[in-house]
Amino acid sequence: NKKGKNEIIVFENSFHGRTIATLSSTGQKKFHEGFEPILGGFKYAKFNDLNSVKKLISRKTAGIMIELVQGEGGVNIAEKDFVKGLKNLCKKNKLLLIFDEIQTGLGRTGKLFGYEHYGVTPDIFTLAKSLGGGLPLGATIVKENIASVFNYGDHGSTFGGNPVSCVASLEVLKGLNPSLLKKVLENGKYFVSKLQKLKEKNSFIKDVRGLGLMVGMELDFKGADIVKFCKVKGVLINCTNDKVLRFLPPLIINKKDIDKVIEILEDAFIWQRSKK
């Protein structure tokens, strides 16, 4: 800030949270409604478009922040060349590279951290949600040279390090062993392959994409009714960006469970077709 570097480049369709700063960094205007004026200092680039990032870099730029998989934005997966390009831009322009791993961290993608798929190490990354095994807990992990910026008492958090959540977190970390992560990768691929077969049978399914057990199915219509149908049948999913069914199953899901989900989705799509 002393050098006038007070801007961070973020991305369209991103979602970083609901506090005023993270809301302001979120690249979706619908989340800003009712909370204006949002904070300045954030510039919104196009996801997977390196040129759009280059155009926004200025003397004020302090860093680039990105979700490697945009969850709320529609399960959009960052391309490997794009992420490597961001790392090179940061190195060249002396910027911080920040990964929001709230959803992709701790095994969700089949690696302990999502960035391990890319061969790129960030300067800063964030964790929460899964970190406490369902209890409120968040963490910001930084390189040593950045950690020295903060002194004890400079910053605090309601979700930072309370004893009960930390005990739960230790149990979560114990459970994230290599065999579980391997299963997440295997079952994620199996799930996507099953969804791809559904896509072949239904022309209204535009795309299927996923990384580990973070999976999305894009429809050509709003998916809220499909979500409701599945809920009645005992399967909890949600719909992001209006038309993308998002699947975030427990990491211990097995192929039998996945087959059951596919069965219910098939019924949902039959029901959907019958409405027309």
Side-chain angles (χ1 to χ4, degrees):
N1 197 29
K2 290 177 182 176
K3 296 178 182 177
K5 291 199 168 194
N6 52 19
E7 288 182 355
I8 296 174
I9 296 171
V10 288
F11 292 88
E12 294 174 4
N13 286 321
S14 61
F15 182 83
H16 294 292
R18 295 182 186 273
T19 58
I20 192 62
T22 54
L23 190 69
S24 301
S25 65
T26 291
Q28 297 187 65
K29 287 187 178 178
K30 66 182 180 183
F31 289 110
H32 300 166
E33 290 172 11
F35 295 96
E36 296 95 345
I38 60 171
L39 299 179
F42 297 102
K43 301 293 181 184
Y44 307 97
K46 287 182 170 58
F47 195 67
N48 280 330
D49 184 339
L50 205 58
N51 282 329
S52 78
V53 179
K54 288 177 183 176
K55 288 175 185 175
L56 293 177
I57 294 174
S58 71
R59 286 180 299 172
K60 292 183 178 181
T61 308
I64 299 169
M65 182 167 69
I66 187 171
E67 299 161 278
L68 295 168
V69 182
Q70 291 184 328
E72 194 65 40
V75 194
N76 306 311
I77 302 168
E79 296 166 359
K80 286 188 178 180
D81 287 346
F82 175 65
V83 176
K84 286 179 179 176
L86 292 179
K87 181 70 174 179
N88 290 335
L89 280 178
C90 287
K91 190 175 179 180
K92 180 181 176 183
N93 295 280
K94 295 182 179 177
L95 310 176
L96 294 174
L97 182 59
I98 308 162
F99 290 163
D100 179 340
E101 293 247 25
I102 304 299
Q103 284 195 38
T104 54
L106 298 180
R108 172 56 58 186
T109 66
K111 301 281 189 182
L112 190 58
F113 306 117
Y115 71 77
E116 293 178 68
H117 290 281
Y118 294 86
V120 171
T121 303
D123 299 299
I124 301 171
F125 69 97
T126 57
L127 295 172
K129 297 189 188 296
S130 56
L131 182 62
L135 293 176
L137 188 66
T140 301
I141 291 88
V142 303
K143 288 185 174 177
E144 194 171 349
N145 62 314
I146 300 164
S148 62
V149 171
F150 278 106
N151 290 312
Y152 289 108
D154 282 350
H155 186 57
S157 170
T158 304
F159 292 164
N162 69 80
V164 175
S165 293
C166 285
V167 170
S169 186
L170 287 172
E171 293 304 312
V172 169
L173 293 171
K174 284 177 193 173
L176 288 171
N177 54 61
S179 64
L180 177 64
L181 295 176
K182 186 181 176 185
K183 278 286 182 189
V184 170
L185 279 175
E186 287 174 5
N187 288 328
K189 287 175 184 175
Y190 180 77
F191 196 7
V192 167
S193 71
K194 286 286 186 176
L195 292 173
Q196 288 284 8
K197 286 178 182 175
L198 279 184
K199 179 178 180 291
E200 290 165 15
K201 297 177 189 174
N202 299 281
S203 59
F204 53 73
I205 300 174
K206 292 176 66 178
D207 192 26
V208 172
R209 48 188 179 261
L211 190 61
L213 285 172
M214 191 169 181
V215 180
M217 171 183 270
E218 186 173 353
L219 309 173
D220 69 3
F221 59 88
K222 290 186 177 181
D225 285 346
I226 300 294
V227 171
K228 288 175 187 174
F229 183 98
C230 290
K231 183 180 178 182
V232 170
K233 298 290 183 178
V235 173
L236 296 177
I237 61 174
N238 73 348
C239 186
T240 66
N241 219 12
D242 288 334
K243 296 181 179 180
V244 182
L245 301 179
R246 178 172 54 172
F247 306 92
L248 296 169
L251 302 189
I252 57 170
I253 196 171
N254 56 42
K255 289 183 172 66
K256 187 179 177 182
D257 295 328
I258 291 168
D259 289 341
K260 184 65 179 174
V261 173
I262 296 297
E263 223 177 90
I264 290 168
L265 276 175
E266 282 181 320
D267 289 344
F269 292 148
I270 290 168
W271 169 75
Q272 175 67 30
R273 287 195 299 267
S274 71
K275 293 199 304 176
K276 294 182 179 180

